[in-house]
Structure formats: C-alpha cells, structure tokens
Amino acid sequence: RQLAAGDIAGALEGSEPVFYFTPGLRYLRAAEHLIFGESYLGYLSLVLLFPFLVYRLFRRFLPGDWSLALAFIFIAIPVGAMFGTSFVHYAQLAARGFADPAAYILFIAGMLPIIGQPGGHRNFLSAFFGALVLALAIWMKPIVAPAAAVLLGGAGIGALYLGQWPRLIGLSVGIVP
C-alpha cells in the first residue's frame, strides 16, 4: 500500500520502525506479494525447493541410492517430526508464516556452492553466491549466523591453506551484506 501511495521510505521500513527478530521475512513477503499477488505462492515455491536441496546435500556426501532414500525419508516419513527435522515440520512452520523454514532453506542453498563437488572448480563466483545466500539466510533469521560463521570459517581456512585467493575473496565479499 505504501509503495502504491508513493511512500518509498515507508515501504522499505516494512510498516514497523524497529524489527529485529525476523528482519528479512517481511521483505521476502513483500516481494512475494508484488510478484504473485495476495497469495503464498512465493513461500510455497521456496518450501517445495527444499527437498531438492536436501537431496543435493545428501548427494554431495553419499552415493546416489542412499541420497535418494534419505531424501525420500525426509519428505515422506515424518521420522524427525518430534525433533523438528522433517519436511512436514518445515511445511507447517511455513504455513503459519514463520521465518525459520526460509532461513534454513536459504542456509542449505548457500552451503551447496560453498561445499562444491569433489574435484569441481571452487572459484570466486561459487564462493560469492554461496556466501551471499548465507547472508540472506542470516538476514531472514539471525539465529543461523553461528552455523554460517562455522561454515564460512572452515571454507575460508581451507581456501587460505590451499592458496585459493579468488575463492577466499568471494567468500569475504559475499557475506558482507
């Protein structure tokens, strides 16, 4: 409404002057409403992307059959529902409008380019975009900041040890926002 009225500063404020708990979710929801209208299709699309990201993460560390089986267990069998680690749990939280699923989905999406594939190129762009998506995850819900710090610290130390300077610069510049 504020954007339609020409109040750009009020639209960027997000209708509240101070908001620290989930600062990025209101901007994600505003972008979603601009693209999809008054619906939850943007957040739904993000949640539906989550099983594919989980599969890619499992695929990075396990053989294909195991990865597929674990991704299927994550999606179809709510084994981890009591611990909050199943797809059902993330879908319920997203349906209620919480920022946790978006933050963790973006966190895993940022992990994938940073970790990379065995023998794959670990260059500036993959490190930059991975760190940038991690910064978005932190902005979505700041509670993922310690995990992002551990991931980026380990990747940075590894890049420093291997002399991968463009990768180290990409990690550093990508997390700046």
Side-chain angles (χ1 to χ4, degrees):
R1 283 181 256 152
Q2 292 167 334
L3 191 60
D7 183 16
I8 296 173
L12 290 176
E13 186 180 77
S15 74
E16 295 181 25
V18 178
F19 195 78
Y20 296 110
F21 188 59
T22 57
L25 183 66
R26 58 184 166 170
Y27 296 106
L28 174 75
R29 300 309 304 260
E32 173 188 37
H33 290 314
L34 284 175
I35 296 169
F36 296 106
E38 288 289 324
S39 69
Y40 289 99
L41 290 177
Y43 208 171
L44 176 66
S45 300
L46 189 64
V47 170
L48 291 176
L49 181 67
F50 196 34
F52 297 105
L53 295 172
V54 167
Y55 170 73
R56 291 298 302 161
L57 186 64
F58 285 145
R59 184 77 178 116
R60 169 60 180 92
F61 297 107
L62 299 169
D65 295 340
W66 285 65
S67 303
L68 191 59
L70 285 174
F72 181 73
I73 289 171
F74 174 74
I75 296 165
I77 304 171
V79 173
M82 68 180 90
F83 307 111
T85 58
S86 72
F87 184 68
V88 171
H89 184 68
Y90 289 105
Q92 288 173 347
L93 287 175
R96 292 181 185 150
F98 292 124
D100 300 51
Y104 294 123
I105 292 167
L106 290 171
F107 180 78
I108 289 180
M111 280 178 67
L112 291 173
I114 290 174
I115 294 172
Q117 293 294 328
H121 295 289
R122 293 182 171 98
N123 56 14
F124 174 83
L125 284 178
S126 66
F128 172 75
F129 285 116
L132 185 63
V133 173
L134 283 179
L136 288 174
I138 293 169
W139 185 52
M140 197 62 56
K141 182 123 178 150
I143 198 159
V144 300
V150 169
L151 178 68
L152 288 171
I157 290 171
L160 188 64
Y161 178 76
L162 295 173
Q164 298 173 342
W165 303 110
R167 179 173 168 75
L168 184 62
I169 292 169
L171 289 170
S172 301
V173 171
I175 197 63
V176 166

